[in-house]
Amino acid sequence: MLNRLKSLNVQLIFAAIFGVGIGAILNVKDVPQEASILYLSGLAGTVFVALLKMVLIPLVFLSISVGVSSLKAHVNMGKIWRWTFGYFVFSMALAIATGMVLVHIFKPGVGADLSLFTSAMASHQSPTADVGNFLHTFIVTLFQNPIAAMAEGKIFPVVIFAIFLGVALIHAPNVERLITLLQEALEVVMKLVQFIMRVAPIGIMGLLITLVATQNMALFQQLGLFMGVVIFGTLFHGFVNLPIFLKLTANINLFSYWGDLQRPLLTAFSTSSSSATLPTSLDTVQNRMGVDKSVAGFVLPLGATVNMDGTALYEAVAALFIANLVGMHLSLTHQLVICAMAMVAAVGAPGIPSAGMVTMIMVLQSVGLPVEAVAILLPIDRILDTVRTTVNVEGDIVGALAVNKWIGASEKSAA
Ligand code: ASP
C-alpha cells in the first residue's frame, strides 16, 4: 500500500480528487478570494506552472532540432513528415465532424433567451481581428530573431527556427559533434523535467482548488446544454475515436495505454496548457511507451502547438451554438467554412490556457457571426479548456504512437 502511495501516478490521482473536492467546498461556502487556503493553493499552482514554463523553451528548441536532425539517420525521413501532417489534419477533421454531428442532434442554443446575456454583451469590448489580418500577423510572427523569441517565450517562432536548424544539420557536413552536443543538452533538460514532476501532485492540487473554487456555478447551469455537448463530444473523441484509430492503425494495447497516459493527461487537465504538458508527455512517450526519440521529438513538440483536436471541436461547436443563439441560419457552405476555420484557428492557437478563445474570433467572423458573443463563452472557458486541452494532448500522443508504429513497420518491411 505504502509503495503504491509512493507512485507518482497514484499521488496525482489523489491530488486531482482532493483538488476538485476542496475547490467545490470552498465554492459552495463562498470563501472570499483572499482567504489563505486559496492564496496557498494559488501559489502552489503558479509555482508549478512557472517551473514547467522555465524548461519549456529549451525543451521545445532542443527536442525539435534534435528530433528533426536525427531524422537524418532515418531512411524514412520523408514518411515521418508526411504521416505526421496527414495524421494532424485527419484527427482534427474527425474531432470537428464529431462536434458537428452532436450539435445537430442536441441543438444547443436553439430558442434561448438572449436577454440572459445582455449584461455580458454590454460589458464586452468587441475585438477587431479579421481573418486576413489574423493570417498576415500569424505568418509574419513565425519568422523572428530566435533569441528574442526565446526570451519573450514565443513558441511558434522558436518551433520554426528549430525546424530550420534541424534541416540544416541534416544537410551540413561534419556537424556530428554539434548534433551530439544538442542531444546531450536535451537529456539534461529531460532530467530537469523529471525533477519538476516530483512536485506535480502539489501543483496540480493547487491549480484545481483555485480553478473550481473561483468559478461562477450559476452561469454553468444556464449554459449547461452547450457545455454538455462540448464535454461529451470532446470525451467521445478522446475515449472512442482516438483509441479506435490507434487500435486499428497501430494495434496498441489499450490497457497499458490508459495507464501510461494518466500523468500527461492529468497535467494537461490541471494546467490547461499543451505546451506546459509537453515535458511530461515527452517523458512518458519516450521512457514509458517506448517511442523512438526522433519520432517523439518531432511529433510531440510540433503537435503541442499545431495539433489540437479538442480545440478544433470546441471552435466549431461554439460557432454553431452562437448561430443558434442569435437565430442565424447557416447554410451548408457556411458550416463547411466554419469547419475549415475551426481547424485553422486550432492550428493558430498556441498551447496555453484559453488560447482557443482568442482565435475563436476569426471563426465567428468568417461567417458574419457577432464577435461580441465571445462574452458569453468567456466565463465558462476555463472549465471547458481543461477538457479540450486534455484531449489535445492525447491527440498528440496518439500521433506519436501511430507514426512510431508505422515507421517501425515500414522499416521492417524494407529490411
Ligand atoms: N489550452 C489549449 C491548449 O493548450 C488551447 C486552447 O485554448 O484551446 O491546448
Side-chain angles (χ1 to χ4, degrees):
M1 180 67 190
L2 209 61
N3 271 348
R4 292 213 65 173
L5 268 181
K6 277 189 192 152
S7 131
L8 187 57
N9 278 359
V10 176
Q11 290 175 9
L12 285 173
I13 303 260
F14 275 113
I17 295 172
F18 281 131
V20 172
I22 297 173
I25 295 171
L26 294 180
N27 195 315
V28 174
K29 292 210 173 291
D30 212 6
V31 170
Q33 297 265 351
E34 57 280 0
S36 51
I37 182 153
L38 274 181
Y39 173 77
L40 286 178
S41 58
L43 187 65
T46 314
V47 170
F48 177 58
V49 173
L51 285 171
L52 290 172
K53 281 192 183 152
M54 182 181 78
V55 287
L56 182 63
I57 294 285
L59 186 68
V60 169
F61 170 69
L62 290 168
S63 58
I64 295 194
S65 49
V66 169
V68 175
S69 68
S70 58
L71 295 183
K72 190 177 195 167
H74 261 292
V75 259
N76 285 319
M77 189 168 99
K79 280 189 185 158
I80 297 186
W81 277 99
R82 282 196 295 276
W83 282 344
T84 303
F85 280 101
Y87 166 78
F88 285 174
V89 172
F90 169 78
S91 67
M92 283 193 279
L94 185 63
I96 293 174
T98 307
M100 294 300 260
V101 169
L102 290 175
V103 172
H104 281 99
I105 296 175
F106 294 105
K107 305 193 187 331
V110 171
D113 178 6
L114 257 189
S115 63
L116 263 180
F117 305 116
T118 355
S119 64
M121 297 282 238
S123 61
H124 179 67
Q125 292 280 322
S126 165
T128 49
D130 65 35
V131 182
N133 262 339
F134 175 84
L135 283 181
H136 180 84
T137 325
F138 179 61
I139 291 169
V140 169
T141 52
L142 290 183
F143 308 102
Q144 286 185 24
N145 170 351
I147 308 289
M150 285 182 194
E152 288 165 23
K154 292 182 181 160
I155 296 280
F156 246 121
V158 175
V159 168
I160 297 291
F161 180 73
I163 292 177
F164 285 174
L165 182 70
V167 173
L169 286 171
I170 290 179
H171 291 98
N174 306 323
V175 287
E176 278 65 30
R177 268 172 308 169
L178 181 55
I179 295 182
T180 313
L181 181 73
L182 290 170
Q183 281 166 347
E184 286 175 0
L186 179 60
E187 294 290 332
V188 175
V189 174
M190 293 292 291
K191 198 70 209 161
L192 267 176
V193 170
Q194 286 172 4
F195 293 157
I196 295 173
M197 281 319 290
R198 293 200 192 146
V199 295
I202 300 173
I204 284 177
M205 188 158 87
L207 285 168
L208 290 176
I209 292 178
T210 317
L211 180 68
V212 178
T214 53
Q215 295 302 308
N216 178 350
M217 296 291 179
L219 200 82
F220 295 160
Q221 284 160 12
Q222 288 165 7
L223 296 171
L225 184 57
F226 165 67
M227 291 178 70
V229 169
V230 172
I231 293 175
F232 178 74
T234 316
L235 292 181
F236 187 87
H237 186 70
F239 278 112
V240 181
N241 291 351
L242 289 176
I244 288 183
F245 170 81
L246 203 54
K247 192 75 204 163
L248 291 181
T249 58
N251 196 21
I252 301 276
N253 172 348
L254 292 180
F255 193 69
S256 56
Y257 166 78
W258 287 116
D260 291 336
L261 238 58
Q262 266 177 30
R263 216 179 274 189
L265 296 193
L266 273 174
T267 311
F269 184 83
S270 57
T271 58
S272 290
S273 166
S274 300
S275 298
T277 312
L278 182 62
T280 323
S281 27
L282 263 177
D283 181 41
T284 305
V285 159
Q286 287 180 10
N287 299 331
R288 296 173 72 106
M289 299 174 123
V291 171
D292 188 289
K293 281 189 179 158
S294 62
V295 173
F298 178 68
V299 180
L300 286 183
L302 207 60
T305 31
V306 170
N307 180 44
M308 298 196 179
D309 297 1
T311 304
L313 182 146
Y314 169 75
E315 307 258 352
V317 172
L320 263 71
F321 168 63
I322 303 277
N324 285 345
L325 271 185
V326 298
M328 185 178 190
H329 173 73
L330 292 175
S331 65
L332 185 63
T333 323
H334 276 146
Q335 295 189 33
L336 289 176
V337 170
I338 287 183
C339 292
M341 289 313 287
M343 199 180 291
V344 175
V347 170
I352 55 172
S354 288
M357 200 67 244
V358 179
T359 54
M360 180 83 230
I361 294 159
M362 55 183 278
V363 183
L364 297 177
Q365 281 189 333
S366 67
V367 288
L369 284 164
V371 285
E372 288 76 6
V374 165
I376 299 166
L377 305 173
L378 268 176
I380 49 166
D381 189 58
R382 286 297 282 115
I383 286 287
L384 295 180
D385 201 5
T386 55
V387 185
R388 65 175 190 255
T389 308
T390 309
V391 172
N392 287 347
V393 168
E394 186 191 349
D396 299 339
I397 294 179
V398 167
L401 288 169
V403 172
N404 189 58
K405 198 83 178 183
W406 299 333
I407 293 298
S410 81
E411 272 170 5
K412 254 192 218 143
S413 64

